[in-house]
Each structure stands twice: as structure tokens, then as C-alpha cells.
Amino acid sequence: MPDFAFEDKLSGMVAGVDEAGRGPWAGPVVAGAAVFLTRDVEAYLLQNLDDSKKVTAKKREVLYEKLLETQAQGKMLIGIGQATAEEIDRFNILQATFLAMRRAVEALGKIPDYAIIDGNQRPKDFPCRCMPLVKGDARSYSVAAASIAAKVFRDRLMRDLAIKYPYYGFEKNAGYGTKVHIDGLYRHGVVAGVHRMSYRPVREILTRVA
């Protein structure tokens, strides 16, 4: 379970940073950044924060609303950053992820002194000092909060895209390569600006239907 141990080892204001959406074939990669300005927050939030992949979709939604409430109370900061499908194609998914992370930190409204980055890589040209932390979303409250924020924000965005592009099942698969998504690609083609053209499965389908 996460705690504040890593935040306590660092000086100044510390943000947790995590991403959602590196694997899907469509949509942006989204990063979340979260700073707890006080430890005096609702017990339910801390008791239930965890790696977003370990939390049910229903509970993620509840936790996300709790995070927004905590931010409205002035007890934390939350920032969201995105890198588009075009940017993923242009820079590659790793660099686009780092770009989304930078944008998330900048969206906090105040640059932190440190960022705990989920994973094992340290982004270059980051707006503050950063510390990579493997499985950070299961070890740090701040990273877990960022994980939930990024995941829920992206899932909602993909549900909105599903209304505009109803053939791909985005509301259920969030852009991953499910059978419904593949069938939609064959029948209705690729959506420019939404699908990641640099991803091999999308390229292969483009070649077959050309």
C-alpha cells in the first residue's frame, strides 16, 4: 500500500506523476500530477488510493471526485497534461509520455521542488528535479493520486470520442486493440488525429485496406 515515505524523504513541495494510455492504438497519452499540500485529508481517500490498475472503474471515479474535492478545499494540487496521437507519432510514445508529464506538472499552477515519476526513467528537460520510482503508484500517495487522475480523465475523454466516432468501442476499450476496435478499423478506416499511425497494428490495417 502507498504512503508518504518517499515524499517525506524529499524537501519542499513534492508532486507525484504518472501516465495513462501508452498502449492504446488511439487517443492521447495522458499524465497526471498530484501534490498533497497537507496530510489533513479525508481518511477514505488515503485508505483507498492505489495503483489505478488495481482499483475498479467505479471506485476510480469515486476517488477522482474525492481528489477534486480535496483540491477545491485547498489541500492539494492536481494537474493534467496530454500528448496527442500526432505527437506520439512524431516523437514516439516514450517522448510523448514525458511531454505529457511536463505539461501535467506545469498545469499544477506552481512548479514543485521535486517530482516522483512512476517508472524507472528520468525525463530530460523537466521543470523540476525528479526521482523515478518503480511501481510508484503502489508506493506513494502522490503518485497513486496522479495515477487515478490520469486514468479517469483519459477514460472520460475516450468516452467522449466514442460519441463522435461510434464504430471503435472507445467507451469500453479506451482505444486498446480489441476485436470491436479492429472490426471498426477494417469497416470504417482510421481516424486522422485520433489513431496512432506509428503503431504497427494500425499501420498493418492501413496497408491491408489500402
Side-chain angles (χ1 to χ4, degrees), residues 136-149:
D137 46 9
R139 302 168 71 188
S140 158
Y141 278 135
S142 300
V143 181
S147 174
I148 295 291

Side-chain angles (χ1 to χ4, degrees), residues 61-80:
E61 291 282 347
V62 172
L63 288 170
Y64 184 61
E65 293 301 326
K66 292 289 185 183
L67 289 171
L68 295 181
E69 289 174 12
T70 306
Q71 177 177 237
Q73 294 166 0
K75 296 182 177 183
M76 74 181 304
L77 302 174
I78 299 170
I80 297 291

Side-chain angles (χ1 to χ4, degrees), residues 15 30 67 78 91 98 124 136 143 167 176 180 188-189 200:
V30 174
L67 289 171
I78 299 170
F91 302 124
F98 290 161
K124 296 180 180 178
V143 181
Y167 310 114
Y176 281 90
V180 171
H188 302 281
R200 187 173 66 181

Side-chain angles (χ1 to χ4, degrees), residues 8 17 35 66 124 162 169:
D8 290 342
V17 181
V35 177
K66 292 289 185 183
K124 296 180 180 178

Side-chain angles (χ1 to χ4, degrees), residues 91-114:
F91 302 124
N92 75 47
I93 185 57
L94 178 62
Q95 295 307 317
T97 298
F98 290 161
L99 177 60
M101 286 179 170
R102 288 196 293 272
R103 290 170 174 169
V105 168
E106 290 165 354
L108 289 169
K110 183 178 180 181
I111 300 300
D113 298 287
Y114 273 96

Side-chain angles (χ1 to χ4, degrees), residues 116-151:
I116 304 173
I117 310 287
D118 184 62
N120 61 0
Q121 294 186 307
R122 190 186 308 271
K124 296 180 180 178
D125 304 319
F126 215 64
C128 64
R129 290 174 287 182
C130 53
M131 181 188 81
L133 182 63
V134 175
K135 299 187 183 301
D137 46 9
R139 302 168 71 188
S140 158
Y141 278 135
S142 300
V143 181
S147 174
I148 295 291
K151 175 63 175 168

Side-chain angles (χ1 to χ4, degrees), residues 4-210:
F4 283 119
F6 291 96
E7 288 87 340
D8 290 342
K9 293 177 182 178
L10 302 171
S11 59
M13 190 170 84
V14 180
V17 181
D18 200 4
E19 54 75 28
R22 289 183 65 169
W25 299 358
V29 60
V30 174
V35 177
F36 283 93
L37 300 173
T38 175
R39 308 297 164 84
D40 179 26
V41 298
E42 187 177 342
Y44 174 90
L45 183 60
L46 296 184
Q47 289 167 0
N48 289 276
L49 276 177
D50 204 344
D51 173 359
S52 64
K53 295 183 290 296
K54 298 179 181 178
V55 180
T56 65
K58 184 176 181 180
K59 181 175 276 191
R60 284 198 300 265
E61 291 282 347
V62 172
L63 288 170
Y64 184 61
E65 293 301 326
K66 292 289 185 183
L67 289 171
L68 295 181
E69 289 174 12
T70 306
Q71 177 177 237
Q73 294 166 0
K75 296 182 177 183
M76 74 181 304
L77 302 174
I78 299 170
I80 297 291
Q82 303 181 48
T84 65
E86 294 100 324
E87 288 172 325
I88 293 168
D89 292 337
R90 189 185 318 151
F91 302 124
N92 75 47
I93 185 57
L94 178 62
Q95 295 307 317
T97 298
F98 290 161
L99 177 60
M101 286 179 170
R102 288 196 293 272
R103 290 170 174 169
V105 168
E106 290 165 354
L108 289 169
K110 183 178 180 181
I111 300 300
D113 298 287
Y114 273 96
I116 304 173
I117 310 287
D118 184 62
N120 61 0
Q121 294 186 307
R122 190 186 308 271
K124 296 180 180 178
D125 304 319
F126 215 64
C128 64
R129 290 174 287 182
C130 53
M131 181 188 81
L133 182 63
V134 175
K135 299 187 183 301
D137 46 9
R139 302 168 71 188
S140 158
Y141 278 135
S142 300
V143 181
S147 174
I148 295 291
K151 175 63 175 168
V152 173
F153 185 94
R154 188 178 189 280
D155 283 350
R156 292 181 177 184
L157 186 153
M158 296 306 293
R159 289 198 293 270
D160 289 342
L161 280 178
I163 297 172
K164 190 173 183 181
Y165 306 106
Y167 310 114
Y168 306 98
F170 291 154
E171 73 281 4
K172 293 183 178 179
N173 61 41
Y176 281 90
T178 62
K179 184 180 185 302
V180 171
H181 193 174
I182 293 168
D183 289 345
L185 284 166
Y186 276 116
R187 293 178 182 178
H188 302 281
V190 170
V191 179
V194 174
H195 283 100
R196 303 175 183 182
M197 309 300 188
S198 59
Y199 276 36
R200 187 173 66 181
V202 177
R203 290 201 315 270
E204 291 178 349
I205 290 172
L206 272 172
T207 300
R208 292 175 189 175
V209 300

